[in-house]
Amino acid sequence: MTERQGREEAEGAVVAAPADTEDSADAGPRRILGIAVPTLGVLVAEPIYLLWDMAVVGRLGALALAGLAVGGLILGQVSTQLTFLTYGTTARSARRFGSGDRPGAVQEGVQASWTAIGIGLAILVVLEVLARPITELIAGGADIVDAALGWLRIALIGVPLILLTMAGNGWLRGVQQTRRPLAYVVVGLGISAVLCPILVHGLLGAPRLELEGSAIANVIGQAVAAVLFLGALVRECLFVPERSERVSLAPQPAIMRAQLVLGRDLIVRSLAFQACFVSAGAVASRFGAASVAAHQLVLQLWNFLTLTLDSLAIAAQTLTGAALGAGNVPGAERLARRVTVWSLLFAIALAACFAAGYAVVPALFTTDPQVIDRTEVIWWFFVAIIPIAGVVFALDGVLLGAGDAIYLRNTTMGAALIGFLPVIWLSLAFDWGIAGIWTGLSLFIVLRTVAVSVRALSGRWARVGAEIPRGAR
């Protein structure tokens, strides 16, 4: 074993070469969990922090919680729209890594980081200008608008930092390193978690900034994480002694364009999600502060659960991309079946836990009786769709690893237009309340599950090569 290989294994890397890719595709529990467990830590760290943030802000009352819900919805949808910086980068980097081209895999991370900086700065400028009209469009009243706007204007500073972290996660997953991203994310969020109650409630002699203190704590933690990811990228490019050539840190428009071509379809797919969840938040706001706070509380729990399930999906994405990069179609198909079964069983266990905690969990995040009452209305929708999500997220990971972005784009848009959006707006028209909103979400998940299951069984997604084939986009 070389010194480099020993260091990579200590950091959580899986050292791969073309001859090892078959083992990647035929990975057993230890190999898959070796990627999935640290990835789970990365995925759930932010939702856990957001739940902590809600618990801290929730002590200020329903209005502050509603303001955080609306502001967080806007910021969250910006990040969701640009998930190609993580998932697209992983797909491209994993294929190159599987074919034995580690420098090429790292170069994908360099170019994704440049893309993150450019897009992040543009979004920051545009949304600072449009923050008030966007907030007014979503929020139901002037008091919620004012609360959300103060938080949002500060939180938007973190957008370029969030996108840099997404790009860093993408290329590190592609080269099958998962422990370092976990450490970087935990450090950043840990700093935010300590600062949040101090700044919100004025503890330890700090000024009481209330809702704005939450936003400041977020930005500080995001800055720390972004610096750590950039440091890892620079070290990988410039300070690997056994590599004959350094990986260039300069922008390379050709690679960035190729990433954006894949990203285009993932962005459209993300826009479908954005339209659904922004609409859901806007409709919930029309039902009052208690309803939008309850909707956001359960939505954060839902995000926590889906990201937990996504840890197995990302392991599948990474290993599927590596297998297809080396031409191992049968192994990729076996991997898809294995991860789907595991994810379904895991989801059933999670659903049982939340069913048992229906009377306890909401009270951990708010003491407002109206918010708790509204939460009880939608709790069983939430529990029922968890097992279904276990299937859809696992197969999403497989298809993303294959670069099958066009199919995912089209089917997600179809599920949104046929299922989610019509039911949401009918809920407003006929006063169905937040139960109607969660009926739409349930239908959305069911339609997506049918679509990805049909695609997985067809085998048409399994296309080989170090580059994502044109037809797979």
Side-chain angles (χ1 to χ4, degrees), residues 253-345:
I255 297 177
M256 294 169 71
R257 280 195 301 271
Q259 291 177 341
L260 289 172
V261 169
L262 175 60
R264 174 195 61 201
D265 298 313
L266 296 178
I267 287 172
V268 173
R269 178 175 181 259
S270 296
L271 282 171
F273 286 115
Q274 183 181 35
C276 290
F277 288 101
V278 169
S279 295
V283 171
S285 295
R286 268 61 179 183
F287 296 132
S291 288
V292 72
H295 170 72
Q296 185 66 13
L297 190 156
V298 180
L299 187 62
Q300 290 296 345
L301 290 171
W302 166 249
N303 289 339
F304 170 77
L305 262 297
T306 56
L307 290 177
T308 302
L309 295 170
D310 211 22
S311 62
L312 287 172
I314 288 172
Q317 182 189 7
T318 299
L319 296 171
T320 297
L324 294 177
N328 188 357
V329 172
E333 292 174 338
R334 287 193 298 273
L335 182 67
R337 291 191 295 270
R338 186 179 308 125
V339 173
T340 302
V341 171
W342 287 13
S343 185
L344 174 60
L345 295 175

Side-chain angles (χ1 to χ4, degrees), residues 72-304:
L73 175 66
I74 296 170
L75 185 64
Q77 292 308 308
V78 169
S79 301
T80 299
Q81 184 179 344
L82 297 172
T83 52
F84 81 92
L85 287 168
T86 298
Y87 293 99
T89 302
T90 297
R92 291 178 56 83
S93 182
R95 280 185 178 255
R96 290 190 176 277
F97 184 70
S99 69
D101 182 14
R102 185 186 178 98
V106 175
Q107 186 59 248
E108 296 288 344
V110 174
Q111 303 313 312
S113 297
W114 279 113
T115 302
I117 293 170
I119 294 175
L121 291 175
I123 290 173
L124 171 60
V125 172
V126 171
L127 287 187
E128 287 288 359
V129 173
L130 300 177
R132 178 169 287 278
I134 292 173
T135 305
E136 289 175 344
L137 179 65
I138 295 173
D143 52 349
I144 299 178
V145 170
D146 291 340
L149 194 59
W151 184 92
L152 181 62
R153 288 198 181 280
I154 298 170
L156 285 172
I157 298 170
V159 170
L161 306 173
I162 294 170
L163 300 189
L164 276 170
T165 296
M166 291 167 64
N169 265 300
W171 76 266
L172 283 168
R173 290 175 188 171
V175 299
Q176 299 182 22
Q177 290 195 26
T178 52
R179 293 183 185 174
R180 283 200 292 170
L182 174 60
Y184 301 159
V185 169
V186 168
V187 168
L189 292 177
I191 290 172
S192 294
V194 171
L195 290 176
C196 185
I198 293 174
L199 297 179
V200 170
H201 296 292
L203 305 178
L204 303 178
R208 182 183 171 91
L209 301 178
E210 298 193 343
L211 191 53
E212 285 76 8
S214 165
I216 293 171
N218 289 353
V219 171
I220 292 172
Q222 290 157 1
V224 171
V227 168
L228 290 172
F229 275 104
L230 282 176
L233 187 61
V234 171
R235 287 194 299 273
E236 183 74 28
C237 291
L238 301 182
F239 302 109
V240 181
E242 62 269 29
R243 184 175 293 156
S244 59
E245 296 182 4
R246 291 180 175 180
V247 178
S248 173
L249 288 169
Q252 296 188 20
I255 297 177
M256 294 169 71
R257 280 195 301 271
Q259 291 177 341
L260 289 172
V261 169
L262 175 60
R264 174 195 61 201
D265 298 313
L266 296 178
I267 287 172
V268 173
R269 178 175 181 259
S270 296
L271 282 171
F273 286 115
Q274 183 181 35
C276 290
F277 288 101
V278 169
S279 295
V283 171
S285 295
R286 268 61 179 183
F287 296 132
S291 288
V292 72
H295 170 72
Q296 185 66 13
L297 190 156
V298 180
L299 187 62
Q300 290 296 345
L301 290 171
W302 166 249
N303 289 339
F304 170 77

Side-chain angles (χ1 to χ4, degrees), residues 385-398:
I385 59 178
I386 293 173
I388 305 172
V391 175
V392 72
F393 278 87
L395 293 178
D396 262 2
V398 171

